[in-house]
Amino acid sequence: MALLTERQPQPEKKAPRGARPMSGKGVVVLCAASFFVGLLLSGRVTLLTPPSSNSPSGSRGSRIPLFSDGCDQKSRRKLDESSPKDIMKEVSRTHLAIQSLDKSVSSLEMELAVERAKQNGGLGVSVPSRGGGLPKAFVVIGINTAFSSKKRRDSLRDTWVPRGDKLRRLEKEKGVVVRFVIGHSATPGGALDRAIDVEASATADFLRLDHVEGYHELSAKTRTYFATAVATWDADFYVKVDDDVHVNLGMLTSRLNKYRARPRVYIGCMKSGPVLSQKGVKYYEQEYWKFGDEGNKYFRHATGQIYAVSRDLASYISINQPILHRFANEDVSLGAWLLGLEVEHVDDRSLCCATPPDCEWKKQAGNVCAASFDWSCSGICKSVDRMRAIHNACGEGDGAIWSAAI
């Protein structure tokens, strides 16, 4: 190229239209986009910048490799020769890898939040400690019960809740922990508490909470249950179920296992009932005005008979329990705690089958229910008398939990 002098000024040459060279920033953006598209298709794709008619051979903008061995024609030829079926397998594997990575990142974020809470003195509560020697589990199932519900507890022990050695074996071999959840009376150490102590020593299937029992304290009890369970077991899921609900443990664990790779899931039968503003009625919401005009409905939340949350959500409740607001209804309270978070709401209708003939017909059709109850009673009507018959009609069989894939 001839040198330019002051005496021989040359007019500036403009690049022809359609062949304008890309800026360095544009090249980087294009390369990144091409890489991620290639990653989804094959996991072995090289990024090349588009050829430019103005770019001289060997110039910096003609080729930008991301990997030294990933930019050759062999990789591109292999992708072209792959069948659609092989490509879909690669996409599926990549999707699973991304889900696993997302869960790992979420777990690290939660551990960071825990450490920050510890360093800042916490929020007045104990916080869960990951990797601190807690027993590992797949799921912790907490059965909400009351002092007056011994017959209900016995009806569950006679049907779907294992006893004694079977309960211990279920924990050891399948990672399924089942406990009746109860606090203490207003006068700790009284007759009610002593009765539970005697029952617990015989059955070893209780989780005792630092909580004063009371019908209007269910939201506080739920909050304390999750905090206590997270501090006791390192599980993938934490379930709350009422003691007048029939559960098929094998089907429940199989349903939960579908979401094991996802970091923040809230699973249940999602509903949206009316906000009751009339004093004296059942489920009266004292803070009805917070939900808008009269006649409005609650936001979507899982019905209170049974629901599950993943580890990170239970840890979130544990860390923040002193500042989590309690509404009149326990299921609404839980829904409110999770509403503003990046949470996946899973509406699983197998968790709210009706009692026979509904769950019986579904079982005969090969669709075994995970949980059954009567909507009219917010549980199984006369559950002590009917639990055995429902178990016989809708139960999955005693061996189902042992063959469930977890």
Side-chain angles (χ1 to χ4, degrees):
M1 180 182 294
L3 295 176
L4 299 182
T5 65
E6 294 183 0
R7 295 182 180 180
Q8 295 178 332
Q10 297 292 326
E12 182 181 357
K13 293 184 179 181
K14 295 183 179 180
R17 291 189 179 184
R20 187 175 182 179
M22 298 179 64
S23 66
K25 183 177 181 181
V27 170
V28 172
V29 171
L30 179 60
C31 288
S34 300
F35 169 71
F36 287 112
V37 171
L39 181 63
L40 289 177
L41 292 177
S42 68
R44 298 177 61 187
V45 177
T46 305
L47 296 185
L48 296 177
T49 60
S52 173
S53 60
N54 282 2
S55 297
S57 175
S59 64
R60 198 187 324 181
S62 61
R63 178 182 174 94
I64 301 181
L66 285 184
F67 303 102
S68 59
D69 60 346
C71 300
D72 52 23
Q73 295 294 330
K74 183 178 178 181
S75 298
R76 298 177 62 183
R77 186 164 54 251
K78 184 176 180 180
L79 176 61
D80 293 338
E81 294 172 355
S82 298
S83 67
K85 186 176 180 180
D86 292 336
I87 292 176
M88 289 306 299
K89 287 182 179 179
E90 289 292 335
V91 171
S92 178
R93 280 195 289 265
T94 302
H95 181 64
L96 291 176
I98 292 173
Q99 281 190 335
S100 178
L101 180 60
D102 187 27
K103 185 173 182 179
S104 299
V105 171
S106 177
S107 179
L108 290 173
E109 289 175 344
M110 185 56 66
E111 290 182 14
L112 179 60
V114 169
E115 292 303 320
R116 285 175 176 169
K118 288 180 178 179
Q119 293 176 6
N120 295 332
L123 292 169
V125 295
S126 60
V127 292
S129 177
R130 298 295 169 208
L134 294 180
K136 298 286 185 179
F138 170 64
V139 58
V140 175
I141 301 172
I143 306 172
N144 186 38
T145 192
F147 290 113
S148 59
S149 297
K150 186 179 187 305
K151 289 184 178 180
R152 284 189 178 183
R153 294 190 290 274
D154 286 339
S155 73
L156 299 192
R157 294 180 181 118
D158 290 339
T159 52
W160 63 267
V161 175
R163 294 176 181 259
D165 292 339
K166 286 186 177 180
L167 189 65
R168 303 283 90 76
R169 180 186 165 205
L170 188 64
E171 295 178 21
K172 183 177 180 180
E173 296 184 12
K174 305 299 291 187
V176 177
V177 177
V178 184
R179 293 288 188 275
F180 290 99
V181 179
I182 196 167
H184 56 80
S185 65
T187 55
L192 294 176
D193 294 299
R194 290 198 300 272
I196 293 295
D197 291 339
V198 172
E199 184 179 350
S201 64
T203 61
D205 57 7
F206 277 91
L207 175 63
R208 305 297 295 272
L209 306 180
D210 183 12
H211 165 80
V212 178
E213 287 289 327
Y215 179 77
H216 297 291
E217 298 298 326
L218 290 179
S219 294
K221 183 176 182 178
T222 299
R223 195 175 58 182
T224 305
Y225 158 63
F226 282 120
T228 305
V230 166
T232 308
W233 294 279
D234 182 8
D236 290 304
F237 294 99
Y238 299 85
V239 172
K240 175 263 176 183
V241 59
D242 289 339
D243 61 4
D244 55 353
V245 173
H246 180 268
V247 175
N248 281 316
L249 291 175
M251 181 55 62
L252 175 62
T253 53
S254 296
R255 303 294 292 186
L256 294 178
N257 194 49
K258 293 171 56 180
Y259 306 101
R260 195 170 193 172
R262 305 181 189 180
R264 295 173 296 276
V265 288
Y266 170 35
I267 307 169
C269 288
M270 300 296 165
K271 67 173 185 176
S272 178
V275 181
L276 301 179
S277 58
Q278 295 80 25
K279 283 188 177 181
V281 300
K282 192 176 183 180
Y283 306 128
Y284 163 65
E285 179 60 71
Q286 186 175 0
E287 297 180 272
Y288 62 89
W289 60 275
K290 290 185 177 181
F291 297 93
D293 297 331
E294 186 175 349
N296 277 1
K297 291 186 176 182
Y298 288 113
F299 42 79
R300 216 40 96 161
H301 61 279
T303 185
Q305 285 83 358
I306 181 172
Y307 49 74
V309 298
S310 57
R311 173 196 291 126
D312 287 354
L313 298 185
S315 297
Y316 170 85
I317 294 171
S318 175
I319 294 170
N320 297 284
Q321 56 175 314
I323 58 173
L324 294 177
H325 186 69
R326 293 171 293 159
F327 290 102
N329 301 296
E330 160 245 344
D331 51 358
V332 172
S333 294
L334 178 67
W337 301 339
L338 305 180
L339 186 63
L341 307 179
E342 287 292 341
V343 172
E344 180 181 359
H345 287 59
V346 177
D347 184 17
D348 191 334
R349 309 314 288 184
S350 74
L351 291 173
C352 54
C353 295
T355 54
D358 178 59
C359 58
E360 187 175 14
W361 289 343
K362 291 177 179 176
K363 176 185 175 182
Q364 293 172 357
N367 300 316
V368 177
C369 294
S372 303
F373 57 88
D374 300 309
W375 285 99
S376 59
C377 297
S378 297
I380 294 177
C381 302
K382 299 180 180 179
S383 65
V384 172
D385 300 326
R386 298 176 59 214
M387 189 62 71
R388 169 54 66 180
I390 293 172
H391 184 68
N392 292 338
C394 302
E396 62 191 349
D398 294 338
I401 180 59
W402 304 108
S403 59
I406 300 177

